Structures are given as C-alpha cells and as structure tokens.
Amino acid sequence: MRRYSTEEAARAYFERMRWPNGPVCPHCGSAEKNYALTPNKKARIREGLYKCGTCDDRFSVTVGTVMESSHIPLHKWLIAFYMMCASKTQISALQLQRQLELGSYRTAHFLCARIRYALKDAGPSGLLGGEVEADETYIGGKAKGKGRGYTGNKVAVVSLVQRGGDVRSTVAERVTSKTIDTLLRRHVTEEAHLNTDESPLYTKPGKRFASHARVNHSAEEYGYFDYRSGRTVTTNTVEGFFGNSKRSLDGTHHQVSRQHLHLYTAELDFKYNTRKSTDGERTAEGIRRIEGKRLMYRQKANT
C-alpha cells in the first residue's frame, strides 16, 4: 500500500503486468509505433493515455479489461486485487467498502465481482491426469422442515482435483451421469486413475479411464490402499477442498446467490491452484488475467 499509494505508481504496475514488452493496442493488437500522449486537460488527454500508430485509436491499460470505464482509482483497484488474492479465505464487499473508502456497497460489490471474473480461468490449459478425484457438493442453507439431504434449495458444484495439482469446479443446474461424463471428457485425460465415492453417477463415465476406484461412504469407508495397483483410493482431497470452500463462503458471506456462485467458485479454484505461490505472486497472476475480460453492469447477471 505504501509503494502503490499513487495513481502513477499503480498505473505503472498494471502496465508492467499487462505489457511486459511495451504497450500493445487492445483495438488492433499492434505492438509497433505506440506512443504515450502528453497529458492536456483542455484536449481531454489524461495521464496514461496512448495512441496506436497502426489504427490511430487511443487506449490505456484499462481498455479491454475488467477495469475499463471504471471510476474507481487504480491504486484502489490494485489494493483490492491484493486483498482478495492474499486472503486465505475470502473478502466481503462490505470490508472492501470500509477499508478502501468506496462510496457505496454497490460499487464495492461490483468491484469484487469484476475481480472474481478476472480470476476465473476461462480456458484452462491441459488436462488433469494421474490420480484424479471427482465429487459433487451442494451449496445452500437449510430449508425449514426439511432434512439434511434435501437439495431443492441448493446449487450443485462438481469439482475435479488432481492430487498434488489443480482443481476445476463447475456449477451445475442438475447433476446427472451425462453431466459428469461431459465434465470428465472436458477436463481429465483417459490415462488418469479416477477416484470417486459409491454414487452410480460415476459408474458409466468411469469406464473411460485407466482405472476407476471407489470408496463406500455409506459403509463408513473413506480410504484404503489397493495392493494390486499400489495406489491409495480416497476422495479426501476433493472433500477437503469442499470443506474449506464452504467454511470460507459461510464465514465471510453467510450466503451467496445461485446467480453469482460461479464467480465465487472461480475465486476458490484460483486460490487453491496458486496455493504454493506467495501473496505477491498470486496477486500478479490474478492481474495478468484481466486481459480481454471486460465486464459491464448489464452483463453481470448472465456472465
């Protein structure tokens, strides 16, 4: 906060993260002949404005990112990125509003939504392999008069975790065997060894993989060593991820809407996948993801 307390310092940092080799025009993609314009209030030329020598369009570091057309100062954007990326759990919009002295809760909430949208891995590279655990959970509160197994008021989240690697979570309206099969085909290599619980949802999709081992939770079985294959069969990794995620959501937000749950799970996935990075490295990685992710108010509901 001391190093980047001014707009100039924050802008320079964003530019280094987005353009390590010099400014690139977000309109035409040209990296040649781009030059900085001299600030001039009368001509409405502000600090940090560039002109493309190829298409003649003007641009700044915020164009084509989640920060475009925002009136929030850049140094507050940078601090918000750091706070959300460095937090082991999550940060509430009210906390950001209070600590960054933002004008309204609406501004703080949309700031959080934009940053979570930036952290979302739109096109993860490569497939999960090795030992992969798959499971589903349901996010939502208790319904009055209903038992713990009631899911009518909850939203399903399916997560795939490579042991020692990454997690990929998907919010699903309905969890069926077809849904599971689609997600496994999209994210997991066929050479992987799949670990699930005894749910019949995984029976048919699991046949595609090198092996499919199950643990029987209904018999209070949570893990065992398969001497024939020399592998440990368990879903403890993905269940541990679910436990940490639910505590993070419940403790910080108390409740989240079905409409925006995918953004909260994107933030949780990002933090898990960068768990070995320092806070500074995680913040830098989050900022590098702002490219090509402009998000406007009217888009938020359907993003």
Side-chain angles (χ1 to χ4, degrees), residues 25-43:
C25 177
H27 303 294
C28 68
S30 174
E32 300 179 1
K33 301 179 181 179
N34 299 328
Y35 57 94
L37 297 176
T38 303
N40 188 326
K41 289 186 179 181
K42 292 184 179 180

Side-chain angles (χ1 to χ4, degrees), residues 198-267:
E198 72 278 14
S199 171
L201 292 172
Y202 301 96
T203 302
K204 186 176 179 181
K207 294 178 180 179
R208 297 178 50 252
F209 300 96
S211 69
H212 177 200
R214 306 166 181 260
V215 288
N216 190 354
H217 288 168
S218 60
E220 296 187 358
E221 180 184 63
Y222 298 98
Y224 61 90
F225 185 78
D226 187 346
Y227 287 95
R228 290 176 299 177
S229 62
R231 291 190 298 271
T232 299
V233 179
T234 184
T235 56
N236 287 346
T237 308
V238 66
E239 289 170 9
F241 171 74
F242 284 149
N244 291 335
S245 298
K246 287 184 176 181
R247 282 190 291 272
S248 176
L249 294 175
D250 292 344
T252 303
H253 308 290
H254 307 304
Q255 65 177 19
V256 296
S257 68
R258 178 189 301 257
Q259 185 179 8
H260 304 302
L261 179 59
H262 66 288
L263 295 179
Y264 292 92
T265 57
E267 180 185 359

Side-chain angles (χ1 to χ4, degrees), residues 54-74:
T54 303
C55 67
D56 287 335
D57 268 346
R58 296 180 178 183
F59 63 93
S60 69
V61 71
T62 63
V63 173
T65 73
V66 294
M67 300 183 293
E68 184 170 352
S69 300
S70 168
H71 298 290
I72 301 173
L74 285 179

Side-chain angles (χ1 to χ4, degrees), residues 90 109 112-113 116-117 120 137-141 153-159 169-173 175 241-242 245-246 248-250 253-270 300-303:
Q90 291 197 333
H109 183 269
C112 291
R116 291 189 183 103
Y117 183 59
K120 186 177 182 180
T137 192
Y138 291 86
I139 306 295
N153 64 323
K154 299 180 181 181
V155 185
V157 177
V158 180
S159 290
S169 301
T170 303
V171 177
E173 287 298 323
V175 180
F241 171 74
F242 284 149
S245 298
K246 287 184 176 181
S248 176
L249 294 175
D250 292 344
H253 308 290
H254 307 304
Q255 65 177 19
V256 296
S257 68
R258 178 189 301 257
Q259 185 179 8
H260 304 302
L261 179 59
H262 66 288
L263 295 179
Y264 292 92
T265 57
E267 180 185 359
L268 292 167
D269 280 5
F270 172 78
K300 187 173 70 167
N302 299 316
T303 299

Side-chain angles (χ1 to χ4, degrees), residues 63-299:
V63 173
T65 73
V66 294
M67 300 183 293
E68 184 170 352
S69 300
S70 168
H71 298 290
I72 301 173
L74 285 179
H75 72 278
K76 292 189 177 184
W77 269 103
L78 183 53
I79 295 171
F81 260 103
Y82 178 78
M83 290 175 63
M84 292 186 66
C85 291
S87 171
K88 291 297 183 183
T89 54
Q90 291 197 333
I91 296 291
S92 69
L94 282 172
Q95 183 177 347
L96 277 186
Q97 179 190 2
R98 182 174 64 254
Q99 294 186 339
L100 298 183
E101 298 180 344
L102 300 174
S104 67
Y105 173 76
R106 183 171 181 261
T107 298
H109 183 269
F110 198 68
L111 174 64
C112 291
R114 285 185 171 188
I115 293 177
R116 291 189 183 103
Y117 183 59
L119 300 181
K120 186 177 182 180
D121 197 351
S125 59
L127 298 175
L128 303 178
E131 297 286 342
V132 176
E133 301 178 17
D135 201 4
E136 74 283 350
T137 192
Y138 291 86
I139 306 295
K142 297 179 181 178
K144 188 175 182 180
K146 304 290 185 179
R148 290 183 59 186
Y150 180 72
T151 59
N153 64 323
K154 299 180 181 181
V155 185
V157 177
V158 180
S159 290
L160 311 173
V161 181
Q162 176 180 319
R163 289 184 196 164
D166 290 352
V167 61
R168 296 179 187 175
S169 301
T170 303
V171 177
E173 287 298 323
R174 293 181 61 232
V175 180
T176 64
S177 183
K178 184 177 180 180
T179 304
I180 298 296
D181 185 58
T182 300
L183 293 175
L184 289 173
R185 287 177 182 271
R186 184 182 304 164
H187 297 292
V188 183
T189 177
E190 292 185 0
E191 289 73 30
H193 300 279
L194 186 65
N195 292 255
T196 69
D197 56 22
E198 72 278 14
S199 171
L201 292 172
Y202 301 96
T203 302
K204 186 176 179 181
K207 294 178 180 179
R208 297 178 50 252
F209 300 96
S211 69
H212 177 200
R214 306 166 181 260
V215 288
N216 190 354
H217 288 168
S218 60
E220 296 187 358
E221 180 184 63
Y222 298 98
Y224 61 90
F225 185 78
D226 187 346
Y227 287 95
R228 290 176 299 177
S229 62
R231 291 190 298 271
T232 299
V233 179
T234 184
T235 56
N236 287 346
T237 308
V238 66
E239 289 170 9
F241 171 74
F242 284 149
N244 291 335
S245 298
K246 287 184 176 181
R247 282 190 291 272
S248 176
L249 294 175
D250 292 344
T252 303
H253 308 290
H254 307 304
Q255 65 177 19
V256 296
S257 68
R258 178 189 301 257
Q259 185 179 8
H260 304 302
L261 179 59
H262 66 288
L263 295 179
Y264 292 92
T265 57
E267 180 185 359
L268 292 167
D269 280 5
F270 172 78
K271 290 181 178 179
Y272 182 88
N273 296 339
T274 57
R275 62 192 181 278
K276 297 180 182 179
S277 303
T278 65
D279 293 342
E281 292 169 344
R282 190 179 302 109
T283 302
E285 173 61 25
I287 290 174
R288 280 191 285 266
R289 296 189 180 195
I290 64 177
E291 183 76 35
K293 290 183 178 179
R294 187 182 181 189
L295 182 61
M296 295 179 287
Y297 279 94
R298 62 176 178 271
Q299 291 178 319

